[in-house]
Amino acid sequence: MPPAPHLQHHNPQHQSSASSNLPPPSFNAHHGLNQTNHNSNINPFSQNGNTNGLAAGFGGAAGLGGGGTGLASPAAVMGFAHGAALQQQQVREQTRRGSMAGGSKNPLKGRIRDVWRGNLAQEMQVLRSLIDKYPYISMDTEFPGIVARPMGAFTTKADYHYQTLRCNVDLLKVIQLGITIFNEDGEPPPPQYTESSGLTIPAHHNNLLPCPCTWQFNFQFSAQDDMYNQDSIDFLTTAGLDLDLHEKQGIDPSEFGSYLISSGLVLLDDVRWISFHSGYDFGYLVKLMLCKPLPEDETTYRKLLSTFFPAIYDIKFMIKHVQRVMTVNDAPLTHAASTILQNIGQKSGLQDLADELGVKRVGTAHQAGSDSLLTGRTFWEVKKLIFNGVIDESLYIGQVWGLNGVGVTMAAHPPGFHNQNSTNSTTNNNNNNGNNNYSTMDETPNLNGATIYQTNGGSSTQPGPPSTPGSSQPALAHTPSQSNGMGSMTPGGGGGVFGGFRGFGAGGGTSRGG
């Protein structure tokens, strides 16, 4: 059987393990698929966010390969000049961000590339050219919180967790995605392409910015039209989220999904995705590529997840598992590893772990690009200092914190019950030192253990259960003005069925493409 047309440009050594499991309509739903000219000369050093800049000089009708007069054409000259001005502006902005991160000596400073609608195609082609040599991808997303929870009877804790994830991912839109790439030794791409790097050097480039190692994709999001949790949006705004820019220049999620599914970053066994507490992160990515709501049952979702992402590491799962069993690779922990885990204790955040390992942040916390870079660098330190350089893939590949380790039967129990008898829940043991007193909602995602989702009893590191927005808690979530005025956003009915969600109008229903 010949490879799918959208994957033919990839290195033939890549083999997709289970792409045949994908539902055929999903591929046809992407209007942007195969629209990029994969033979164009994309510049990894180019400007950020405006296709009228260097992109006009390289890919336009008057630029390289466009049938015009080449680099001497007026359009190309104007493109270079405009691109240089934009690059200098970004250098100033990255200098400002670097000062916020605490100093200018970090070699990764200035290597987080913001991606908006105008430079999406260009940056995706740069990523496509690098992924063969840098197949480890650390990832983080920012999304507008938790606005709903399921009601009804659930057979297991895992079922409840998945249904909570599903209804919120279906209702909401991802705001940012950050990805950072590494080779098998944990090294990012070099800031400058040279012959010794083994990478193709662009024939023409203005070398004003280093080649990025991290890309921060900024999606279209409107505070007027899209649903969100007010506390989460306030928190992200404080961290630097520009809602006006997201509304005007944000990436169309459907267009991004079409680029991602044909990029070589997904569907391939030899591409490793690195994450931290990533149940919701991958939920949003699967939704982007499906262009439709997530499956109703967890089994179908897991098949899709393993198809799109055959190899996932979740650092939080890895750490919690080692804390429980106190062995690595069938051997006792080293003294250094034991000390690290003891110092971490019950701290649950990415920043806590990074601080303990001595990993310095680059960029601004709670922005997806900076968080993805921190996630990747933390992973390599965890592998070296705790796992002695070897991670048992049979134990950790495909284990996603928030979906795995929650298999205790909970029929006839309401969400939030405490199980005093079970010894089968990995999450139970991890969170409570084996005291078997686990609340089903302890692991509601909170943006790497820091974002406050609600004010009713939650804290920055241990949020309360996800609340059902309604008239009694008007500040917890924003329902778009197009809503039909329904009070509660949690559907009725039993058994965890969420077939409705259409009653929220155009602003918040599952029919919305984001």
Side-chain angles (χ1 to χ4, degrees):
M1 176 178 172
H6 65 278
L7 294 175
Q8 289 180 351
H9 63 277
H10 296 312
N11 191 317
Q13 67 180 351
H14 289 312
Q15 297 296 327
S16 173
S17 63
S19 60
S20 60
N21 293 336
L22 292 174
S26 305
F27 292 95
N28 298 330
H30 297 290
H31 61 269
L33 196 59
N34 284 334
Q35 290 183 356
T36 303
N37 177 10
H38 301 302
N39 295 320
S40 62
N41 190 8
I42 293 300
N43 173 20
F45 305 89
S46 63
Q47 53 84 20
N48 166 47
N50 192 322
T51 53
N52 292 325
L54 292 182
F58 287 157
L64 292 178
T69 58
L71 294 175
S73 69
V77 172
M78 292 178 63
F80 290 135
H82 183 58
L86 289 174
Q87 287 181 325
Q88 291 169 351
Q89 180 181 354
Q90 185 172 354
V91 168
R92 289 192 293 269
E93 173 63 18
Q94 289 175 336
T95 300
R96 182 188 67 81
R97 290 184 179 181
S99 63
M100 293 173 61
S104 59
K105 295 183 179 180
N106 195 307
L108 296 176
K109 176 191 171 186
R111 301 193 60 197
I112 299 176
R113 175 71 54 85
D114 267 303
V115 184
W116 299 90
R117 184 187 308 143
N119 62 331
L120 173 62
Q122 178 176 348
E123 298 302 331
M124 288 303 295
Q125 190 159 347
V126 174
L127 271 170
R128 187 181 293 114
S129 70
L130 294 173
I131 193 61
D132 283 341
K133 290 184 178 295
Y134 298 89
Y136 285 78
I137 305 171
S138 59
M139 177 269 291
D140 180 76
T141 68
E142 307 295 341
F143 52 90
I146 302 293
V147 300
R149 66 180 177 186
M151 296 179 66
F154 303 92
T155 56
T156 65
K157 292 179 181 179
D159 182 30
Y160 174 77
H161 281 291
Y162 174 68
Q163 297 300 344
T164 304
L165 180 153
R166 181 170 79 91
C167 66
N168 283 281
V169 169
D170 285 351
L171 283 170
L172 304 175
K173 298 172 66 175
V174 64
I175 299 176
Q176 282 185 339
L177 165 68
I179 64 173
T180 302
I181 57 175
F182 302 88
N183 62 19
E184 60 184 8
D185 297 319
E187 300 168 341
Q192 312 295 339
Y193 286 177
T194 63
E195 293 184 5
S196 61
S197 69
L199 300 172
T200 302
I201 304 174
H204 303 277
H205 60 77
N206 281 341
N207 197 11
L208 297 180
L209 287 176
C211 175
C213 64
T214 299
W215 286 259
Q216 180 169 274
F217 296 91
N218 300 280
F219 293 97
Q220 198 283 328
F221 184 85
S222 170
Q224 299 299 317
D225 299 330
D226 298 316
M227 189 177 293
Y228 57 84
N229 180 301
Q230 184 65 58
D231 289 339
S232 294
I233 287 295
D234 290 345
F235 188 93
L236 293 175
T237 301
T238 301
L241 183 71
D242 188 333
L243 290 175
D244 185 60
L245 201 58
H246 277 267
E247 183 171 8
K248 294 178 180 178
Q249 298 185 30
I251 298 166
D252 179 349
S254 298
E255 183 179 8
F256 177 82
S258 69
Y259 282 119
L260 180 60
I261 207 169
S262 62
S263 65
L265 278 66
V266 297
L267 299 166
L268 302 172
D269 291 339
D270 52 355
V271 175
R272 265 56 176 157
W273 283 75
I274 302 165
S275 60
F276 187 96
H277 197 159
S278 55
Y280 277 62
D281 297 326
F282 285 109
Y284 279 106
L285 291 184
V286 169
K287 177 187 173 184
L288 285 172
M289 290 183 283
L290 284 179
C291 281
K292 62 181 181 180
L294 297 181
E296 292 186 4
D297 63 288
E298 183 187 2
T299 300
T300 302
Y301 172 73
R302 284 182 177 276
K303 290 180 180 178
L304 285 171
L305 183 64
S306 63
T307 298
F308 284 122
F309 305 98
I312 295 174
Y313 291 110
D314 190 310
I315 302 172
K316 186 166 185 178
F317 184 95
M318 295 164 59
I319 292 295
K320 293 295 186 181
H321 182 265
V322 173
Q323 283 181 320
R324 182 171 66 89
V325 300
M326 297 304 292
T327 61
V328 167
N329 303 323
D330 297 324
L333 294 175
T334 64
H335 176 72
S338 298
T339 301
I340 292 171
L341 295 177
Q342 182 178 1
N343 291 341
I344 294 171
Q346 294 303 306
K347 298 176 184 177
S348 61
L350 172 63
Q351 189 67 60
D352 297 321
L353 179 59
D355 290 344
E356 182 61 33
L357 296 171
V359 179
K360 302 298 183 182
R361 178 181 289 276
V362 177
T364 305
H366 308 299
Q367 292 195 4
S370 174
D371 285 356
S372 76
L373 179 55
L374 188 67
T375 297
R377 297 175 67 206
T378 299
F379 170 81
W380 296 106
E381 290 300 307
V382 165
K383 180 178 180 181
K384 178 176 67 174
L385 299 177
I386 298 179
F387 287 85
N388 302 320
V390 179
I391 296 175
D392 187 346
E393 294 191 352
S394 67
L395 290 178
Y396 299 109
I397 284 287
Q399 304 289 344
V400 177
W401 185 260
L403 288 178
N404 293 84
V406 284
V408 181
T409 300
M410 54 178 296
H413 293 280
F417 84 103
H418 291 273
N419 181 359
Q420 301 292 341
N421 301 316
S422 171
T423 58
N424 296 324
S425 173
T426 300
T427 310
N428 175 23
N429 290 325
N430 289 341
N431 282 332
N432 298 286
N433 263 337
N435 65 3
N436 297 326
N437 189 19
Y438 172 76
S439 168
T440 61
M441 289 176 289
D442 284 346
E443 287 308 319
T444 298
N446 59 341
L447 294 186
N448 292 340
T451 299
I452 301 172
Y453 280 128
Q454 59 270 337
T455 58
N456 57 328
S459 68
S460 62
T461 58
Q462 290 295 331
S467 298
T468 303
S471 58
S472 62
Q473 295 174 319
L476 292 180
H478 168 84
T479 303
S481 57
Q482 294 91 331
S483 171
N484 64 3
M486 293 179 64
S488 171
M489 287 188 289
T490 297
V497 177
F498 299 91
F501 285 117
R502 299 185 181 89
F504 304 118
T510 54
S511 61
R512 175 173 286 275

